[in-house]
Tab-separated table of all heavy atoms in Angstrom:
chain	number	residue	atom	x	y	z
G	93	GLU	N	-13.427	25.444	-6.529
G	93	GLU	CA	-12.460	24.933	-7.500
G	93	GLU	C	-12.978	23.744	-8.291
G	93	GLU	O	-12.349	23.329	-9.266
G	93	GLU	CB	-11.156	24.536	-6.787
G	93	GLU	CG	-10.435	25.719	-6.159
G	93	GLU	CD	-9.131	25.298	-5.505
G	93	GLU	OE1	-8.930	24.081	-5.301
G	93	GLU	OE2	-8.318	26.189	-5.201
G	94	LEU	N	-14.115	23.160	-7.882
G	94	LEU	CA	-14.686	22.024	-8.594
G	94	LEU	C	-15.851	22.430	-9.496
G	94	LEU	O	-16.562	21.571	-10.012
G	94	LEU	CB	-15.164	20.956	-7.604
G	94	LEU	CG	-14.069	20.283	-6.771
G	94	LEU	CD1	-14.681	19.278	-5.815
G	94	LEU	CD2	-13.042	19.607	-7.668
G	96	ASP	N	-17.676	23.643	-12.804
G	96	ASP	CA	-17.535	23.687	-14.257
G	96	ASP	C	-18.895	23.385	-14.856
G	96	ASP	O	-19.823	22.985	-14.143
G	96	ASP	CB	-16.446	22.714	-14.749
G	96	ASP	CG	-16.964	21.318	-15.038
G	96	ASP	OD1	-17.737	20.812	-14.198
G	96	ASP	OD2	-16.584	20.757	-16.071
G	98	SER	N	-20.141	20.953	-16.544
G	98	SER	CA	-20.658	19.596	-16.387
G	98	SER	C	-20.985	19.276	-14.933
G	98	SER	O	-22.000	18.642	-14.634
G	98	SER	CB	-19.652	18.574	-16.932
G	98	SER	OG	-18.412	18.671	-16.261
G	99	ILE	N	-20.139	19.723	-13.988
G	99	ILE	CA	-20.389	19.456	-12.570
G	99	ILE	C	-21.660	20.148	-12.105
G	99	ILE	O	-22.461	19.580	-11.344
G	99	ILE	CB	-19.191	19.909	-11.715
G	99	ILE	CG1	-17.959	19.070	-12.043
G	99	ILE	CG2	-19.519	19.820	-10.237
G	99	ILE	CD1	-18.095	17.609	-11.671
G	271	VAL	N	-18.871	17.455	-23.779
G	271	VAL	CA	-17.405	17.355	-23.677
G	271	VAL	C	-17.042	17.623	-22.219
G	271	VAL	O	-17.180	18.747	-21.736
G	271	VAL	CB	-16.703	18.355	-24.606
G	271	VAL	CG1	-15.179	18.190	-24.512
G	271	VAL	CG2	-17.163	18.166	-26.041
G	272	SER	N	-16.594	16.605	-21.509
G	272	SER	CA	-16.350	16.714	-20.076
G	272	SER	C	-14.893	17.014	-19.766
G	272	SER	O	-14.015	16.808	-20.602
G	272	SER	CB	-16.765	15.418	-19.373
G	272	SER	OG	-16.029	14.318	-19.888
G	273	PHE	N	-14.666	17.520	-18.570
G	273	PHE	CA	-13.371	17.689	-17.923
G	273	PHE	C	-12.541	18.856	-18.449
G	273	PHE	O	-11.640	19.308	-17.752
G	273	PHE	CB	-12.514	16.407	-17.992
G	273	PHE	CG	-12.859	15.413	-16.914
G	273	PHE	CD1	-13.680	14.341	-17.191
G	273	PHE	CD2	-12.375	15.571	-15.636
G	273	PHE	CE1	-14.015	13.434	-16.206
G	273	PHE	CE2	-12.689	14.668	-14.636
G	273	PHE	CZ	-13.518	13.596	-14.927
G	274	ILE	N	-12.790	19.355	-19.645
G	274	ILE	CA	-11.994	20.483	-20.126
G	274	ILE	C	-12.285	21.717	-19.283
G	274	ILE	O	-11.368	22.416	-18.842
G	274	ILE	CB	-12.274	20.751	-21.615
G	274	ILE	CG1	-11.692	19.621	-22.470
G	274	ILE	CG2	-11.675	22.087	-22.044
G	274	ILE	CD1	-11.887	19.808	-23.961
G	275	GLY	N	-13.559	21.993	-19.026
G	275	GLY	CA	-13.905	23.154	-18.204
G	275	GLY	C	-13.462	23.024	-16.771
G	275	GLY	O	-13.210	24.024	-16.097
G	276	LEU	N	-13.338	21.802	-16.268
G	276	LEU	CA	-12.932	21.578	-14.880
G	276	LEU	C	-11.426	21.616	-14.706
G	276	LEU	O	-10.912	22.230	-13.768
G	276	LEU	CB	-13.489	20.236	-14.407
G	276	LEU	CG	-13.138	19.799	-12.986
G	276	LEU	CD1	-13.662	20.805	-11.966
G	276	LEU	CD2	-13.713	18.414	-12.702
G	277	ALA	N	-10.691	20.969	-15.610
G	277	ALA	CA	-9.256	20.774	-15.407
G	277	ALA	C	-8.398	21.905	-15.956
G	277	ALA	O	-7.374	22.258	-15.357
G	277	ALA	CB	-8.826	19.446	-16.041
G	278	VAL	N	-8.770	22.484	-17.092
G	278	VAL	CA	-7.893	23.446	-17.763
G	278	VAL	C	-7.620	24.698	-16.924
G	278	VAL	O	-6.475	25.171	-16.895
G	278	VAL	CB	-8.471	23.800	-19.143
G	278	VAL	CG1	-7.707	24.968	-19.759
G	278	VAL	CG2	-8.401	22.596	-20.065
G	279	PRO	N	-8.625	25.294	-16.236
G	279	PRO	CA	-8.276	26.455	-15.390
G	279	PRO	C	-7.211	26.145	-14.352
G	279	PRO	O	-6.358	26.988	-14.053
G	279	PRO	CB	-9.619	26.810	-14.731
G	279	PRO	CG	-10.647	26.321	-15.692
G	279	PRO	CD	-10.085	25.069	-16.272
G	280	HIS	N	-7.219	24.922	-13.801
G	280	HIS	CA	-6.182	24.532	-12.845
G	280	HIS	C	-4.833	24.398	-13.537
G	280	HIS	O	-3.790	24.744	-12.960
G	280	HIS	CB	-6.566	23.216	-12.165
G	280	HIS	CG	-7.786	23.315	-11.307
G	280	HIS	ND1	-7.815	24.046	-10.129
G	280	HIS	CD2	-9.035	22.794	-11.448
G	280	HIS	CE1	-9.020	23.961	-9.581
G	280	HIS	NE2	-9.772	23.206	-10.363
G	281	MET	N	-4.823	23.884	-14.765
G	281	MET	CA	-3.570	23.821	-15.519
G	281	MET	C	-2.986	25.217	-15.726
G	281	MET	O	-1.783	25.432	-15.567
G	281	MET	CB	-3.816	23.165	-16.883
G	281	MET	CG	-4.219	21.716	-16.837
G	281	MET	SD	-4.456	21.072	-18.525
G	281	MET	CE	-5.016	19.411	-18.175
G	284	LEU	N	-1.496	26.521	-12.521
G	284	LEU	CA	-0.218	25.880	-12.223
G	284	LEU	C	0.900	26.444	-13.098
G	284	LEU	O	2.039	26.589	-12.646
G	284	LEU	CB	-0.333	24.366	-12.430
G	284	LEU	CG	-1.173	23.596	-11.407
G	284	LEU	CD1	-1.311	22.135	-11.829
G	284	LEU	CD2	-0.542	23.677	-10.021
G	305	VAL	N	-5.314	21.715	-25.102
G	305	VAL	CA	-5.823	20.436	-24.613
G	305	VAL	C	-6.821	19.839	-25.596
G	305	VAL	O	-6.797	18.632	-25.884
G	305	VAL	CB	-6.466	20.607	-23.224
G	305	VAL	CG1	-7.182	19.341	-22.791
G	305	VAL	CG2	-5.406	20.978	-22.191
G	309	CYS	N	-6.511	16.264	-27.598
G	309	CYS	CA	-7.564	15.245	-27.560
G	309	CYS	C	-8.022	14.890	-28.967
G	309	CYS	O	-8.281	13.714	-29.272
G	309	CYS	CB	-8.750	15.747	-26.738
G	309	CYS	SG	-8.427	15.919	-24.962
G	324	LEU	N	-14.740	11.215	-28.580
G	324	LEU	CA	-14.116	12.278	-27.793
G	324	LEU	C	-14.411	12.122	-26.306
G	324	LEU	O	-13.558	12.422	-25.465
G	324	LEU	CB	-14.621	13.634	-28.301
G	324	LEU	CG	-14.042	14.873	-27.638
G	324	LEU	CD1	-12.540	14.973	-27.893
G	324	LEU	CD2	-14.747	16.128	-28.160
G	325	GLY	N	-15.615	11.640	-25.973
G	325	GLY	CA	-15.984	11.462	-24.575
G	325	GLY	C	-15.152	10.448	-23.833
G	325	GLY	O	-15.138	10.434	-22.594
G	326	ALA	N	-14.447	9.579	-24.579
G	326	ALA	CA	-13.570	8.596	-23.941
G	326	ALA	C	-12.159	9.120	-23.759
G	326	ALA	O	-11.364	8.520	-23.038
G	326	ALA	CB	-13.531	7.316	-24.775
G	327	VAL	N	-11.831	10.252	-24.402
G	327	VAL	CA	-10.463	10.777	-24.369
G	327	VAL	C	-10.312	11.909	-23.350
G	327	VAL	O	-9.324	11.958	-22.610
G	327	VAL	CB	-10.041	11.269	-25.770
G	327	VAL	CG1	-8.664	11.930	-25.731
G	327	VAL	CG2	-10.032	10.098	-26.750
G	328	THR	N	-11.280	12.830	-23.296
G	328	THR	CA	-11.137	13.991	-22.415
G	328	THR	C	-11.010	13.629	-20.935
G	328	THR	O	-10.244	14.291	-20.219
G	328	THR	CB	-12.312	14.960	-22.615
G	328	THR	OG1	-13.555	14.239	-22.516
G	328	THR	CG2	-12.233	15.617	-23.985
G	329	PRO	N	-11.703	12.591	-20.412
G	329	PRO	CA	-11.456	12.227	-19.006
G	329	PRO	C	-10.025	11.750	-18.754
G	329	PRO	O	-9.483	11.965	-17.658
G	329	PRO	CB	-12.465	11.099	-18.749
G	329	PRO	CG	-13.544	11.325	-19.728
G	329	PRO	CD	-12.857	11.848	-20.953
G	330	LEU	N	-9.408	11.096	-19.751
G	330	LEU	CA	-8.023	10.656	-19.589
G	330	LEU	C	-7.073	11.839	-19.446
G	330	LEU	O	-6.027	11.730	-18.792
G	330	LEU	CB	-7.601	9.798	-20.793
G	330	LEU	CG	-8.371	8.484	-20.993
G	330	LEU	CD1	-7.903	7.795	-22.268
G	330	LEU	CD2	-8.174	7.573	-19.789
G	331	MET	N	-7.431	12.972	-20.046
G	331	MET	CA	-6.601	14.171	-19.954
G	331	MET	C	-6.910	14.975	-18.686
G	331	MET	O	-6.003	15.542	-18.075
G	331	MET	CB	-6.834	15.059	-21.180
G	331	MET	CG	-6.534	14.386	-22.514
G	331	MET	SD	-4.770	14.194	-22.807
G	331	MET	CE	-4.285	15.905	-22.969
G	332	GLY	N	-8.199	15.033	-18.304
G	332	GLY	CA	-8.590	15.915	-17.220
G	332	GLY	C	-8.583	15.300	-15.842
G	332	GLY	O	-8.212	15.963	-14.859
G	333	ALA	N	-8.961	14.011	-15.727
G	333	ALA	CA	-9.056	13.384	-14.408
G	333	ALA	C	-7.730	13.373	-13.650
G	333	ALA	O	-7.714	13.670	-12.443
G	333	ALA	CB	-9.609	11.965	-14.549
G	334	PRO	N	-6.584	13.041	-14.273
G	334	PRO	CA	-5.317	13.075	-13.520
G	334	PRO	C	-4.989	14.452	-12.963
G	334	PRO	O	-4.409	14.570	-11.878
G	334	PRO	CB	-4.278	12.634	-14.560
G	334	PRO	CG	-5.048	11.819	-15.542
G	334	PRO	CD	-6.388	12.477	-15.618
G	335	VAL	N	-5.356	15.510	-13.698
G	335	VAL	CA	-5.092	16.866	-13.203
G	335	VAL	C	-5.890	17.141	-11.946
G	335	VAL	O	-5.366	17.682	-10.958
G	335	VAL	CB	-5.430	17.904	-14.296
G	335	VAL	CG1	-5.251	19.318	-13.761
G	335	VAL	CG2	-4.549	17.690	-15.517
G	336	ILE	N	-7.161	16.762	-11.934
G	336	ILE	CA	-8.004	16.996	-10.759
G	336	ILE	C	-7.510	16.174	-9.573
G	336	ILE	O	-7.476	16.659	-8.423
G	336	ILE	CB	-9.468	16.666	-11.090
G	336	ILE	CG1	-9.954	17.523	-12.267
G	336	ILE	CG2	-10.342	16.893	-9.877
G	336	ILE	CD1	-9.805	18.996	-12.044
G	337	ILE	N	-7.123	14.921	-9.823
G	337	ILE	CA	-6.585	14.093	-8.739
G	337	ILE	C	-5.329	14.731	-8.158
G	337	ILE	O	-5.125	14.758	-6.938
G	337	ILE	CB	-6.301	12.668	-9.256
G	337	ILE	CG1	-7.614	11.974	-9.626
G	337	ILE	CG2	-5.556	11.852	-8.206
G	337	ILE	CD1	-7.430	10.638	-10.304
G	338	TYR	N	-4.476	15.270	-9.026
G	338	TYR	CA	-3.257	15.931	-8.568
G	338	TYR	C	-3.554	17.167	-7.731
G	338	TYR	O	-2.936	17.400	-6.689
G	338	TYR	CB	-2.396	16.313	-9.779
G	338	TYR	CG	-1.184	17.134	-9.442
G	338	TYR	CD1	-0.075	16.555	-8.807
G	338	TYR	CD2	-1.129	18.501	-9.741
G	338	TYR	CE1	1.035	17.320	-8.492
G	338	TYR	CE2	-0.031	19.259	-9.421
G	338	TYR	CZ	1.058	18.670	-8.805
G	338	TYR	OH	2.162	19.433	-8.491
G	339	ILE	N	-4.546	17.951	-8.180
G	339	ILE	CA	-4.924	19.171	-7.428
G	339	ILE	C	-5.449	18.786	-6.054
G	339	ILE	O	-5.081	19.404	-5.022
G	339	ILE	CB	-5.971	19.963	-8.203
G	339	ILE	CG1	-5.388	20.500	-9.523
G	339	ILE	CG2	-6.506	21.117	-7.356
G	339	ILE	CD1	-4.279	21.486	-9.346
G	340	ILE	N	-6.310	17.761	-5.984
G	340	ILE	CA	-6.862	17.345	-4.696
G	340	ILE	C	-5.754	16.800	-3.788
G	340	ILE	O	-5.741	17.089	-2.586
G	340	ILE	CB	-7.961	16.286	-4.918
G	340	ILE	CG1	-9.145	16.919	-5.647
G	340	ILE	CG2	-8.420	15.693	-3.598
G	340	ILE	CD1	-10.227	15.924	-6.037
G	341	ALA	N	-4.829	16.018	-4.362
G	341	ALA	CA	-3.742	15.445	-3.559
G	341	ALA	C	-2.840	16.528	-2.987
G	341	ALA	O	-2.343	16.416	-1.856
G	341	ALA	CB	-2.914	14.474	-4.418
G	342	ARG	N	-2.636	17.611	-3.739
G	342	ARG	CA	-1.808	18.720	-3.244
G	342	ARG	C	-2.439	19.423	-2.051
G	342	ARG	O	-1.743	19.935	-1.188
G	342	ARG	CB	-1.576	19.742	-4.352
G	342	ARG	CG	-0.574	19.292	-5.423
G	342	ARG	CD	-0.297	20.437	-6.377
G	342	ARG	NE	0.295	21.569	-5.660
G	342	ARG	CZ	0.345	22.813	-6.160
G	342	ARG	NH1	-0.200	23.082	-7.324
G	342	ARG	NH2	0.923	23.773	-5.477
Side-chain angles (χ1 to χ4, degrees):
E93 295 182 345
L94 295 179
D96 89 315
S98 59
I99 295 295
V271 182
S272 60
F273 277 99
I274 290 181
L276 178 61
V278 170
H280 295 292
M281 294 181 183
L284 289 174
V305 172
C309 292
L324 182 64
V327 175
T328 51
L330 297 176
M331 301 287 293
V335 176
I336 302 304
I337 294 173
Y338 174 73
I339 295 296
I340 294 174
R342 286 187 61 197

